[in-house]
Amino acid sequence: MIHWLRENYAEPVRVEDPARRATLSVSTFHKVFATVTAMSPIQYRKRIRPQEARRLLVAGGTDVTGAAHAVGYDSPSQFSREYRRLFGAPPRRDAVRERAEQRIA
């Protein structure tokens, strides 16, 4: 189920959908998911989306708005807030820093 969420992170997903796919009740799905990942399905998705956007930004070929939309955000400003919360810097600045660090390594 984690694999399915990881593959479908950009799609609108209700927790009922992966629970049904796993043939579990929503509450059981939450408990099992939290046991395996130490976070809720929604928290997991909120973590995956900025990580995937970061990968896209560091690789180049897209801007912040393009990366935000590619990973499923409707609002680039919401994306930027969540990205900054996770990585400690705005998306563009973080991507530039990551590219520089990769060149050095």
Side-chain angles (χ1 to χ4, degrees):
M1 196 53 6
I2 293 169
H3 176 72
W4 186 86
L5 281 171
R6 187 154 184 78
E7 294 293 317
N8 295 283
Y9 63 84
E11 303 300 319
V13 176
R14 298 174 333 170
V15 176
E16 293 83 3
D17 297 334
R20 186 174 41 254
R21 292 178 67 82
T23 64
L24 299 170
S25 70
V26 172
S27 62
T28 301
F29 177 74
H30 268 278
K31 287 176 190 170
V32 170
F33 197 92
T35 299
V36 172
T37 64
M39 61 184 78
S40 74
I42 300 302
Q43 290 169 324
Y44 182 79
R45 186 173 179 217
K46 281 185 138 186
R47 179 73 50 97
I48 294 298
R49 290 166 120 188
Q51 288 174 344
E52 286 299 313
R54 186 184 212 194
R55 185 185 60 75
L56 293 172
L57 289 167
V58 170
T62 190
D63 61 4
V64 172
T65 300
H69 289 300
V71 299
Y73 284 92
D74 291 328
S75 166
S77 61
Q78 177 67 28
F79 163 71
S80 291
R81 282 190 299 276
E82 291 184 15
Y83 190 102
R84 180 186 287 235
R85 198 174 302 129
L86 183 60
F87 297 114
R92 186 180 340 257
R93 186 175 351 146
D94 180 61
V96 168
R97 184 184 70 219
E98 283 296 308
R99 276 191 228 112
E101 286 180 13
Q102 286 180 4
R103 280 192 295 266
I104 293 170

